[in-house]
Amino acid sequence: MILQLNVAAILAIAGKAVWQKTKPVIIKDVVFLPILGFLGIILLWWAVALANHELMPTPPEALIANLDYILNPFYQRGPGNLGIGWLLIASLRRVLIGFLLGAVVAIPLGFLIGMSRPAMLALNPIIQIFKPVSPLAWLPIALAIFNLADPSAIFVIFITSLWPTIINTALGVASVPKDYLDVARVLEMPRWRRITKIIWPASLPYIFTGLRISLGIAWLVIVAVEMLTGGIGIGFFVWDEWSRLNLSSVFLAVFVIGLTGLILDFAVGKLQEFVTHRPTTVK
């Protein structure tokens, strides 16, 4: 009996010590506040659904209605009848192809603009003209060029993801301290070595900021583009379910789109930490 009491006391002390260590993390802003914000959105949705229950489902009703999509995301039940996992993969493929092509073009252009005043004077007006153009304005042009929905969607992603990466890369290159470059000239360092050893490392945080913005825009645009072009993709899924007045599936798609965007941004942030060896956020 005494042994059992001693064991219980030891476990209680150990549990209290663990709780003292984890309590600040759980109660502070790392876990508790995001959960609180998410619950607030769920409660707001619930309140709006109760006020307009004829069209809008409550969160439990939407969860039950979407169980098949959630439990079987990769089903194939005939032509065009695919699980939401396949639709998400199709959209991600278009986004990543267009985004990577944009990065391959944008980063060298950003370096050119940042390092050369004539290039900046020549290209900056073009960037300022095309940057505000709506992504959907490029879709008819892309359809006229390619005459197919898939390459047209990739082209729209490519053209709209260029500008943030170009601007941030040019800003990063232009922000390299002049003293560093002066020392490199004194040491008679070749131009390519100055780029790889001084300008490139100093510009990486700016480049990754541009890439994160571009990827967010790319993921935002693909949903709108797929709504107009049709085919297989998460964007067309949203439009198709809305045409059927199936708002439960629309809410599921909104959640999947948002979660995927969060994961993509997190992945690029971790890649930035790996490459630059610096944290992406200030603790």
Side-chain angles (χ1 to χ4, degrees), residues 221-250:
V221 168
I222 191 63
V223 176
V225 170
E226 288 177 347
M227 284 183 178
L228 297 178
T229 58
I232 297 174
I234 195 70
F236 180 72
F237 175 79
V238 172
W239 186 252
D240 189 47
E241 294 303 310
W242 160 246
S243 300
R244 302 176 186 178
L245 295 179
N246 188 4
L247 281 182
S248 296
S249 297
V250 173

Tab-separated table of all heavy atoms in Angstrom, residues 221-250:
chain	number	residue	atom	x	y	z
A	221	VAL	N	-4.824	31.726	-57.990
A	221	VAL	CA	-5.279	31.906	-59.364
A	221	VAL	C	-5.813	30.608	-59.963
A	221	VAL	O	-6.788	30.628	-60.719
A	221	VAL	CB	-4.117	32.456	-60.224
A	221	VAL	CG1	-4.441	32.380	-61.706
A	221	VAL	CG2	-3.816	33.892	-59.815
A	222	ILE	N	-5.206	29.478	-59.615
A	222	ILE	CA	-5.586	28.230	-60.275
A	222	ILE	C	-7.043	27.881	-60.029
A	222	ILE	O	-7.719	27.330	-60.900
A	222	ILE	CB	-4.665	27.063	-59.822
A	222	ILE	CG1	-4.877	25.830	-60.705
A	222	ILE	CG2	-4.908	26.705	-58.364
A	222	ILE	CD1	-4.524	26.047	-62.157
A	223	VAL	N	-7.558	28.232	-58.864
A	223	VAL	CA	-8.960	27.938	-58.561
A	223	VAL	C	-9.877	28.707	-59.508
A	223	VAL	O	-10.810	28.149	-60.095
A	223	VAL	CB	-9.278	28.277	-57.090
A	223	VAL	CG1	-10.753	28.067	-56.803
A	223	VAL	CG2	-8.432	27.425	-56.158
A	224	ALA	N	-9.586	30.000	-59.702
A	224	ALA	CA	-10.410	30.806	-60.602
A	224	ALA	C	-10.276	30.350	-62.049
A	224	ALA	O	-11.267	30.301	-62.786
A	224	ALA	CB	-10.020	32.278	-60.468
A	225	VAL	N	-9.056	30.008	-62.459
A	225	VAL	CA	-8.833	29.571	-63.835
A	225	VAL	C	-9.577	28.269	-64.120
A	225	VAL	O	-10.210	28.115	-65.173
A	225	VAL	CB	-7.323	29.417	-64.104
A	225	VAL	CG1	-7.079	28.723	-65.442
A	225	VAL	CG2	-6.647	30.775	-64.084
A	226	GLU	N	-9.523	27.324	-63.188
A	226	GLU	CA	-10.197	26.037	-63.403
A	226	GLU	C	-11.708	26.190	-63.401
A	226	GLU	O	-12.410	25.390	-64.030
A	226	GLU	CB	-9.756	25.045	-62.327
A	226	GLU	CG	-8.329	24.553	-62.506
A	226	GLU	CD	-7.874	23.633	-61.388
A	226	GLU	OE1	-8.562	23.563	-60.352
A	226	GLU	OE2	-6.833	22.988	-61.552
A	227	MET	N	-12.221	27.171	-62.707
A	227	MET	CA	-13.663	27.424	-62.757
A	227	MET	C	-14.108	27.783	-64.181
A	227	MET	O	-15.222	27.422	-64.596
A	227	MET	CB	-14.033	28.558	-61.813
A	227	MET	CG	-14.065	28.174	-60.358
A	227	MET	SD	-14.609	29.574	-59.339
A	227	MET	CE	-14.608	28.800	-57.701
A	228	LEU	N	-13.226	28.485	-64.905
A	228	LEU	CA	-13.583	28.933	-66.254
A	228	LEU	C	-13.232	27.910	-67.321
A	228	LEU	O	-13.946	27.790	-68.313
A	228	LEU	CB	-12.869	30.257	-66.563
A	228	LEU	CG	-13.253	31.441	-65.673
A	228	LEU	CD1	-12.446	32.668	-66.048
A	228	LEU	CD2	-14.740	31.742	-65.779
A	229	THR	N	-12.135	27.187	-67.141
A	229	THR	CA	-11.701	26.252	-68.180
A	229	THR	C	-12.303	24.859	-68.027
A	229	THR	O	-12.343	24.086	-68.985
A	229	THR	CB	-10.163	26.127	-68.176
A	229	THR	OG1	-9.731	25.681	-66.887
A	229	THR	CG2	-9.517	27.463	-68.500
A	230	GLY	N	-12.751	24.503	-66.801
A	230	GLY	CA	-13.321	23.175	-66.581
A	230	GLY	C	-12.248	22.109	-66.474
A	230	GLY	O	-11.075	22.390	-66.252
A	231	GLY	N	-12.652	20.869	-66.653
A	231	GLY	CA	-11.718	19.757	-66.566
A	231	GLY	C	-11.555	19.259	-65.148
A	231	GLY	O	-12.401	19.484	-64.280
A	232	ILE	N	-10.439	18.585	-64.909
A	232	ILE	CA	-10.177	17.985	-63.603
A	232	ILE	C	-9.375	18.973	-62.768
A	232	ILE	O	-8.317	19.445	-63.190
A	232	ILE	CB	-9.392	16.664	-63.770
A	232	ILE	CG1	-10.235	15.655	-64.536
A	232	ILE	CG2	-8.996	16.099	-62.414
A	232	ILE	CD1	-9.485	14.381	-64.879
A	233	GLY	N	-9.866	19.287	-61.579
A	233	GLY	CA	-9.168	20.214	-60.704
A	233	GLY	C	-10.069	20.659	-59.567
A	233	GLY	O	-11.299	20.572	-59.650
A	234	ILE	N	-9.453	21.156	-58.516
A	234	ILE	CA	-10.213	21.552	-57.335
A	234	ILE	C	-11.076	22.780	-57.617
A	234	ILE	O	-12.143	22.949	-57.036
A	234	ILE	CB	-9.244	21.811	-56.160
A	234	ILE	CG1	-10.003	21.874	-54.837
A	234	ILE	CG2	-8.424	23.046	-56.382
A	234	ILE	CD1	-10.549	20.559	-54.370
A	235	GLY	N	-10.633	23.655	-58.537
A	235	GLY	CA	-11.414	24.836	-58.872
A	235	GLY	C	-12.705	24.481	-59.582
A	235	GLY	O	-13.778	25.003	-59.246
A	236	PHE	N	-12.611	23.594	-60.569
A	236	PHE	CA	-13.824	23.171	-61.264
A	236	PHE	C	-14.748	22.400	-60.328
A	236	PHE	O	-15.970	22.472	-60.463
A	236	PHE	CB	-13.465	22.307	-62.473
A	236	PHE	CG	-14.674	21.830	-63.240
A	236	PHE	CD1	-15.401	22.720	-64.004
A	236	PHE	CD2	-15.087	20.506	-63.176
A	236	PHE	CE1	-16.532	22.304	-64.696
A	236	PHE	CE2	-16.202	20.080	-63.860
A	236	PHE	CZ	-16.926	20.985	-64.626
A	237	PHE	N	-14.173	21.672	-59.374
A	237	PHE	CA	-14.983	20.963	-58.384
A	237	PHE	C	-15.848	21.947	-57.601
A	237	PHE	O	-17.034	21.683	-57.364
A	237	PHE	CB	-14.070	20.187	-57.439
A	237	PHE	CG	-14.771	19.513	-56.302
A	237	PHE	CD1	-15.442	18.311	-56.497
A	237	PHE	CD2	-14.780	20.073	-55.035
A	237	PHE	CE1	-16.096	17.681	-55.443
A	237	PHE	CE2	-15.424	19.461	-53.976
A	237	PHE	CZ	-16.084	18.265	-54.185
A	238	VAL	N	-15.278	23.073	-57.214
A	238	VAL	CA	-16.048	24.082	-56.483
A	238	VAL	C	-17.213	24.578	-57.328
A	238	VAL	O	-18.359	24.668	-56.854
A	238	VAL	CB	-15.141	25.267	-56.071
A	238	VAL	CG1	-15.966	26.402	-55.483
A	238	VAL	CG2	-14.090	24.811	-55.074
A	239	TRP	N	-16.933	24.914	-58.586
A	239	TRP	CA	-17.982	25.443	-59.456
A	239	TRP	C	-19.049	24.391	-59.752
A	239	TRP	O	-20.245	24.698	-59.787
A	239	TRP	CB	-17.353	25.947	-60.756
A	239	TRP	CG	-18.331	26.631	-61.656
A	239	TRP	CD1	-18.841	26.164	-62.826
A	239	TRP	CD2	-18.922	27.914	-61.446
A	239	TRP	NE1	-19.710	27.058	-63.369
A	239	TRP	CE2	-19.778	28.159	-62.534
A	239	TRP	CE3	-18.803	28.863	-60.441
A	239	TRP	CZ2	-20.517	29.322	-62.652
A	239	TRP	CZ3	-19.539	30.044	-60.555
A	239	TRP	CH2	-20.381	30.265	-61.638
A	240	ASP	N	-18.623	23.167	-59.966
A	240	ASP	CA	-19.566	22.100	-60.278
A	240	ASP	C	-20.486	21.815	-59.094
A	240	ASP	O	-21.705	21.630	-59.271
A	240	ASP	CB	-18.792	20.837	-60.662
A	240	ASP	CG	-19.690	19.743	-61.203
A	240	ASP	OD1	-20.533	20.043	-62.072
A	240	ASP	OD2	-19.562	18.594	-60.758
A	241	GLU	N	-19.931	21.787	-57.885
A	241	GLU	CA	-20.756	21.529	-56.707
A	241	GLU	C	-21.698	22.698	-56.432
A	241	GLU	O	-22.827	22.499	-55.975
A	241	GLU	CB	-19.870	21.269	-55.490
A	241	GLU	CG	-19.050	19.993	-55.576
A	241	GLU	CD	-19.916	18.759	-55.779
A	241	GLU	OE1	-20.885	18.593	-55.020
A	241	GLU	OE2	-19.633	17.973	-56.707
A	242	TRP	N	-21.255	23.920	-56.703
A	242	TRP	CA	-22.143	25.068	-56.531
A	242	TRP	C	-23.299	25.000	-57.542
A	242	TRP	O	-24.445	25.339	-57.214
A	242	TRP	CB	-21.372	26.369	-56.703
A	242	TRP	CG	-22.246	27.547	-57.012
A	242	TRP	CD1	-22.287	28.266	-58.161
A	242	TRP	CD2	-23.243	28.120	-56.151
A	242	TRP	NE1	-23.229	29.253	-58.079
A	242	TRP	CE2	-23.840	29.188	-56.846
A	242	TRP	CE3	-23.686	27.826	-54.865
A	242	TRP	CZ2	-24.847	29.970	-56.306
A	242	TRP	CZ3	-24.691	28.604	-54.307
A	242	TRP	CH2	-25.266	29.669	-55.032
A	243	SER	N	-23.002	24.555	-58.770
A	243	SER	CA	-24.069	24.422	-59.786
A	243	SER	C	-25.133	23.426	-59.337
A	243	SER	O	-26.306	23.551	-59.709
A	243	SER	CB	-23.465	23.977	-61.118
A	243	SER	OG	-22.513	24.912	-61.577
A	244	ARG	N	-24.720	22.451	-58.512
A	244	ARG	CA	-25.668	21.482	-57.974
A	244	ARG	C	-26.266	21.926	-56.640
A	244	ARG	O	-27.000	21.162	-56.009
A	244	ARG	CB	-24.969	20.135	-57.774
A	244	ARG	CG	-24.365	19.556	-59.044
A	244	ARG	CD	-23.622	18.272	-58.722
A	244	ARG	NE	-22.907	17.754	-59.880
A	244	ARG	CZ	-22.152	16.671	-59.860
A	244	ARG	NH1	-22.007	15.996	-58.719
A	244	ARG	NH2	-21.537	16.256	-60.946
A	245	LEU	N	-25.917	23.139	-56.199
A	245	LEU	CA	-26.352	23.686	-54.909
A	245	LEU	C	-25.922	22.786	-53.748
A	245	LEU	O	-26.628	22.661	-52.740
A	245	LEU	CB	-27.870	23.899	-54.886
A	245	LEU	CG	-28.401	24.957	-55.855
A	245	LEU	CD1	-29.914	25.059	-55.742
A	245	LEU	CD2	-27.746	26.310	-55.604
A	246	ASN	N	-24.757	22.155	-53.920
A	246	ASN	CA	-24.222	21.274	-52.884
A	246	ASN	C	-23.165	22.048	-52.087
A	246	ASN	O	-21.960	21.893	-52.282
A	246	ASN	CB	-23.612	20.026	-53.519
A	246	ASN	CG	-23.222	18.989	-52.477
A	246	ASN	OD1	-23.465	19.165	-51.280
A	246	ASN	ND2	-22.607	17.911	-52.925
A	247	LEU	N	-23.627	22.910	-51.175
A	247	LEU	CA	-22.711	23.767	-50.430
A	247	LEU	C	-21.833	22.989	-49.454
A	247	LEU	O	-20.775	23.466	-49.069
A	247	LEU	CB	-23.497	24.841	-49.675
A	247	LEU	CG	-23.965	26.038	-50.510
A	247	LEU	CD1	-24.674	27.049	-49.635
A	247	LEU	CD2	-22.797	26.691	-51.226
A	248	SER	N	-22.273	21.818	-49.044
A	248	SER	CA	-21.435	21.016	-48.149
A	248	SER	C	-20.097	20.696	-48.801
A	248	SER	O	-19.030	20.824	-48.183
A	248	SER	CB	-22.154	19.718	-47.772
A	248	SER	OG	-23.327	19.987	-47.038
A	249	SER	N	-20.121	20.303	-50.076
A	249	SER	CA	-18.879	20.002	-50.788
A	249	SER	C	-18.074	21.266	-51.071
A	249	SER	O	-16.841	21.226	-51.111
A	249	SER	CB	-19.190	19.277	-52.101
A	249	SER	OG	-19.815	18.029	-51.840
A	250	VAL	N	-18.770	22.395	-51.265
A	250	VAL	CA	-18.057	23.659	-51.470
A	250	VAL	C	-17.266	24.016	-50.220
A	250	VAL	O	-16.102	24.448	-50.302
A	250	VAL	CB	-19.047	24.779	-51.834
A	250	VAL	CG1	-18.332	26.125	-51.873
A	250	VAL	CG2	-19.703	24.496	-53.182
